[in-house]
Every structure is written in structure tokens, then in C-alpha cells.
Amino acid sequence: MTLPRMTRVVLEIGKSRVFASAVDWPGWCRAGKGEEGALDELATYSARYREVVEAAGVSFADADGDFEVIERLPGDMTTDFGAPGVVAAADLDDLKPLQAKRLALLVTASWTVLDRVVAVTPDELRKGPRGGGRDRDKMVDHVLGAEVAYARKIGVRHKQPARPGLAAIAELRAGIAAALAAARSGRPEQDKGWPPRYAARRIAWHVLDHAWEMQDRTDA
């Protein structure tokens, strides 16, 4: 009998929240109160993340087992602000060609999911639990601006595309995906850069976090 493979998880432990990141699945990262809360949130979002995996054409069967916490990392200001901000030891592993291609496919699939959500989301969104939150177009602009900054961490330099500049957006995304697919070293390629695995995780997390926020804040 073959037992299900366990999903490798890194926990980033801040003062006010804990992030759980499935290190082999870029973008599948959720935060919660304490370790158990973060892992529960990660499990809850498995079904939503499956859309990313299907868009990438990657098998999700080996992620159906239990979670295996392989690292616990002290969080920082970014963690408590609300983003996974710490590079794990697992992020520094070198990449084989198929592993790098897989990273690029999953990040690209996160954009596919975002585009699908944007296409059916009204411009005005229901306010968040504290009465705030960006509306759709401002949220998309925010994601694009972040991606321009994130891209520089892996040596890809573009100006922020102006919506509806679809060609410029596609060029930015293609540059990021190409850099990830070509990566072989697990180390940053430049001073103050990001390791490719961490870059993929952070980029996909940010895209999906806002895609799922749009879904959650859309009136039925």
C-alpha cells in the first residue's frame, strides 16, 4: 500500500499571526492565529488552490496527504503586516529544469485564476469587515505594482503597465515566468534579490490572496 505523500509546510511565526506555506505549491499560503490556526486555514484553501493546479496542468494528487512542518521560522514586520516575508532554507534548494518549469507554470496559473475572477467581478466590491478595502480596478493596479517590484528581485525590470494595457501586462508576466523557468541556482542572482522558489511563492500568494478577496467581497 502506498501512503499519500505529505505536503511540506514552512511556518513563519510572527507576533500577531503565523503564515503556513506549502513550499512545493507556490501561492498556497494562509495565515492564522497560532500554528494550528494557520494550518487549518491552509487546509481550508486546498479546494480553492486546486483551480490553480488544474490551470497549470500539474497533478495535485501528491498534495492530498497530511501536512509535514519542515521548518519553523521567526517572522518579521512583513509577517505581522500580512505577507509571507521570510526566506526558508527549503527556498534555497537548487532547481532542476523540470522543477523550474513547474514553478513558472504554477505562477502563470495564478494569473489565469486572477484574470478569470476579474472578468466576473463588479467594479465596486462589498466593504471588508472593517468597512474598507480596495475596489476591483484599484486592487488589480495594486497587484500589478507589486509584481513590478517583485520582478526586480529576480532581475526582470518593467515599468508598471497601465490598464487596460494588456500587451504590457503580458510582457511583464512573460518576463517573470521566463526568469523562473530558467532558474537553476536556489540562491538570489543579484544583491538584495530573492531566491527563485521564494519569489514564486510570494508572487503567486499575492495574486491569489487578492483574487480570493475579490470573490469573498463580491455580492451574490
Side-chain angles (χ1 to χ4, degrees):
M1 176 180 179
T2 302
L3 295 175
R5 177 181 172 182
M6 299 184 78
T7 301
R8 301 192 309 157
V9 173
V10 167
L11 294 178
E12 186 177 320
I13 303 169
K15 294 179 180 178
S16 61
R17 72 184 78 201
V18 174
F19 264 95
S21 299
V23 294
D24 299 311
W25 302 96
W28 191 16
C29 312
R30 301 314 297 166
K33 289 279 189 181
E35 295 186 14
E36 185 175 346
L39 291 170
D40 285 346
E41 279 292 297
L42 193 67
T44 297
Y45 275 75
S46 173
R48 296 177 89 165
Y49 188 75
R50 187 173 292 276
E51 183 181 1
V52 179
V53 175
E54 291 173 351
V58 176
S59 172
F60 203 40
D62 58 347
D64 287 340
D66 295 330
F67 295 135
E68 177 188 9
V69 177
I70 61 170
E71 290 182 58
R72 287 177 170 82
L73 308 168
D76 58 13
M77 291 177 61
T78 302
T79 312
D80 288 317
F81 179 75
V86 181
V87 174
D91 291 324
L92 301 176
D93 291 341
D94 289 341
L95 291 134
K96 296 178 181 178
L98 286 179
Q99 292 174 319
K101 180 180 179 181
R102 183 177 177 278
L103 283 186
L105 284 173
L106 287 166
V107 172
T108 299
S110 73
W111 291 318
T112 298
V113 170
L114 174 66
D115 291 345
R116 288 174 183 170
V117 172
V118 170
V120 297
T121 299
D123 181 34
E124 293 188 8
L125 299 175
R126 185 173 59 244
K127 297 302 182 184
R130 297 181 181 177
R134 302 176 181 89
D135 285 327
R136 182 198 64 200
D137 290 349
K138 289 186 177 180
M139 200 181 302
V140 172
D141 288 340
H142 164 71
V143 171
L144 286 171
E147 284 175 2
V148 169
Y150 296 164
R152 293 188 183 119
K153 297 290 189 178
I154 53 173
V156 178
R157 302 189 181 281
H158 285 267
K159 293 181 179 179
Q160 180 167 346
R163 296 184 70 244
L166 296 181
I169 294 172
E171 185 178 354
L172 169 64
R173 291 175 173 178
I176 294 171
L180 292 174
R184 296 295 177 267
S185 172
R187 302 281 172 173
E189 294 291 337
Q190 61 189 36
D191 186 39
K192 297 183 180 180
W194 284 349
R197 292 178 188 272
Y198 173 75
R201 174 154 60 94
R202 178 72 175 268
I203 292 167
W205 164 79
H206 193 241
V207 170
L208 294 172
D209 191 57
H210 285 295
W212 293 334
E213 180 188 355
M214 285 185 210
Q215 290 177 325
D216 293 343
R217 291 177 52 217
T218 297
D219 287 315

